[in-house]
Structure formats: C-alpha cells, structure tokens
Amino acid sequence: MPRVRFAPSPTGFLHIGSARTYIFNWLYARHNGGTMILRIDDTDVGRNTDASLTSIFEGLRWLGLGWDEEYKQSDRLALHRSVAQAIFEKDLAYRDFTAAQSGDSEKSGAQGTWLFNAGMRQLSREQSDRRAAAGEPFALRFRVPHDRIGHVQFSDAVYGDQAKAYADIEDFALLRSDGMPTYHLANCADDADLRITHIIRGQEHLSNAFKHKLIFDAVGAESPTFAHLPLLMAPDGMKLSKRVHGPVVSVTTYRDAGFLPQAFINFLCLLGWSPKNDREKLSRQETVDLFTLEGINRANAVVNFTEEDPFDAKALWLNAEHIRSLPPNELARELLPFAPADLETLRKIAPLIQERIKLLRDVRSVADFFFAGQLPPYDSAELIPKKGDAAMAKTVLLKAREVLATADFSHDGLDAALRAASVSLGIKAGQMFEPVRVAVCGRKTAPPLFGTMEVLGRDTCVTRIAQAIEKL
RNA sequence: GGCGCUAUCGUCUAAUGGUUAGGACAGAGCCCUCUCAAGGCUUAAAUACGGGUUCGACUCCCGUUAGCGCUACCA
C-alpha cells in the first residue's frame, strides 16, 4: 500500500504549484488505493505564520481532495533529535562550532562548491564534547564521505537514474545551533517514521534527494521512491513564486474568481502530466483512473498569466467546459455565493447563462439585469435597431408593449408574438428584437431574448419597455 | 563558479527509430443564428544549433547554446 505525503511549510499562502503537488500525491494515492498524508513542515519557526496555515487549509478544503492522516512537524521534535543523535553516535555527523554565515555569502563566486568549514570535521570527540558542554553553540552537520570514490544514487520515477559524487555534496546541516532540526533532517526522519513509500514533490528538491538518500541510509531506513515533478514557471521564465508573482498564483484567487474545483484540478493536472490520449477535460474519477507517474513529463511548464489577465486561457476554457457540463440546478447552487439572488431565481437563470460564462463570478456581469430592480442608465441610441432610426425604435417598442400586455409569457409564446409583431410592422425580426432586448436588458449583448423575458416576467418587461419609450 | 535537470507550434502537450510531426487553448476566416455565446468547418503556427550512430533520427550518443534548480544553521 503506497503512503504519500504533501508537506507544505506554512510560510506563505498556498500557491498553485503546491496545489499541483498535493493533487499529484492525492491522485497517486487514490489510483493505487494508498494513503494520503498531510504534514505541516513548520520547523522554520521564524517564518511560520497563522495566516499561511489558514490559507493552506482553506485551499485544500476547497479542492475537496481529502487526506487520511495529518501531522505537524513541530510536534515531532523529539523524534528528529533522536534521529540526529543516532546519526551523531555513528559518527556520521559532527558538531560545527562555526558561527552561521550571514547574508548572501561570497561562495557563489567561488571556484567550486563549499563542502565544510575548516577544522570542524576533524575535531576529536573529546574536544567536541568539551566545547559543547561549555555551552558553545554548534550546528550538527552530516559527515559526507568526501574521500570515498563513488556516488550517491537512486532512481527517480520521473527523471530516471540519478547519481552524484560524494565529493560534490557539502556537509549539510542536520540541526541548527538553536537545536531545531533543518528541513533535511526533519523531512527524512518523518518520512521514515511515517513509512512514506513515495516522495512526490517539486523538482527543486531533485538535488536535495541525494542528501536525503544519505540520511535514509545513515539511519538504516529503506529509501522511499522519489518522483520529482517539473516546475511551474511564470511567463517571465521564472519559477512561480508567491513573493514575486503575488496573488495571481494563489489558490484562493482562483476560488474567489469562480473556478470550479474540478476545473482547477483538471488544469493543474495537465501542466506536467498527460493522459497521452488527447483527453483534456477530465472528471475527478477519470483523472484518478488515468493517473500514473509514467505520464509525468520532465520539462517545466509555463502558466500563462499576465497582470491584466491573471488566468491562463486554458484554465478559463476548462472552467467553462466544466460549467457547461453541470446540471443547471447544480450550477445554480455554485452560483449562489457569486450572485445577489436566491437559489430559486438562479435555477431559472442558470440555463440562460450556462454557456456564456467562463467564471462563476461572470454571473454578475452577464446576468446583472436579472438582479437589478432598476436598470442602470444606458445610451438611448442603443435602442435603435440596425438599418433603422429612432422612429423605428419607438414604433417597435410601442408595438411590443401592446403585444406583451396579453402575450403568453413563455419562450414559445413570446417568440410567436414578437415575430408576428415584426411581420405586422413590416420589418425584419432582428429589428424587432433588438430594441426590445436593449429595453429589457439594458444592452445589446445578452442571453437569448425569449428565455430572458420569460424569467423576467411580464411586469418587469413591460415596465422596462415603457421606460425605454420615455427615453426616445 | 560547481553540481544536477531540461529543450516539439505563442502556451499546454502527442508521436515501439519509419506519420503529410497529431490534439487542445489562444489567433485569423467562414457557416449557423434574435444579439452574445455555444457548436461546426477552414487556416496559420514547432522538433534550439552542430556533429555522429543508422538504410532511416523529434526519438539514441557527443558537443554547443539557452533556460531552470540546488549550491543557507529556508523549505
């Protein structure tokens, strides 16, 4: 039984890259009948915030992909320290009394990789114990066997065989001088303890995986299978980041704009993974059925957003697709938080706007005239039909008012009545409908006229037409 | 700088070494039509570059270039 985990650190809002990582883990678990674990990696006390914790839970709850077990790393410090101690006892780690580097260091300009701080590796145990006992602060570093010829190696489920020479891996820290575990240690200690079988995470960790392999080996734990995911990039070519790209990459931005969770999930899945059969629009169950690690590709994927347009066109299209395939009553329910109307009204409106909105929030602009008691002001020139003039508009509206007073107010009844009216006026049907549409909706582009009028009802329609006549 | 990873239309992607390099979104055009959509049809658009290997390379190998990641007592 596979056991997978999503391990966010609560240092910022949940962004779409993290959401995708969660989704892939969840999909893998569900496809294989495994266990999905949520673990909050909160060992960086200084950067943790409650707001981001809230954001993570809110985002995940919205996705609606539940997890089976939940942990918090800060509850597990004793485990981390005991693992560190065990590694130290085996002499696979040593105390480093060098003060922490401050700021961005010079080493990026150096000739090679920094491997360790001089003098600390070969400190005798006695010396080390003495200085520690004297209260001198130290970091605990992993003793990478630099002198050994050979490589750390593992096979990544996505990127294939990986190898890195011992000589190229620096003595990374396990424990900070304040005694807190580093990411590497806490991460591996927990993964081993929770018996994680597959680590599915962003490719930024591919290089870290060598260190992790070293830790797993040091504690005698079987190394989980690694599956690294290609990164999500911004159109500017940079890795997606909360810091530089802001709320456009926040999950809640998508939620608040009116994405359906499944559409959002669908979009994210297609970034870096393909079902290989040209399928694009997928239901949750289809995605679970189709998902495999083999379908994941290796190249980074760009999320095409801009400042003016925060959403990738494909995401929008997928959302529209999912909206269109919803039963109207369900769409009405989804619309409820976005529209100033009750469910009953929305049920009537939903079929009219279903194929006209890309985001749930579009209901406010597309169906505004259903909600407003009084139409917002519009230019009376709008009432003039194609190849017509103000006089024609007036004639049309007068006739419409007359006909509508008694017409059967159903789609077909209205269709018949208004077409008949256009015939009796000797004008084209379109010239008849246009002024009526503007009078009733307040603008030229709107959902189909008869269905709209049916929902609006006789009183509202007749009143609005009368008001339009006033304007002419 | 070192190490690692990657490279197919603008974007997401497909292609047991043999296809006219396919699909989708976005773009353009046409049709349908009471407007707007939706739908249908058409169109434009790609294998980063250079070498190999092979009868044959998007596919395998090498190099170049470019991008990304890691190189912290962040994760």
Side-chain angles (χ1 to χ4, degrees), chain A residues 254 257-259 311 316 319 323 357-363:
Chain A
Y254 286 74
F259 268 86
F311 305 118
L316 250 15
N319 199 47
I323 285 175
I357 59 174
K358 288 185 153 72
L359 295 166
L360 294 173
R361 74 169 177 206
D362 292 343
V363 63

Side-chain angles (χ1 to χ4, degrees), chain A residues 163-182:
Chain A
K164 187 163 186 169
Y166 291 115
D168 287 327
I169 303 172
E170 77 280 5
D171 285 351
F172 54 94
L174 260 18
L175 247 27
R176 301 176 219 180
S177 49
D178 62 1
M180 285 294 280
T182 61

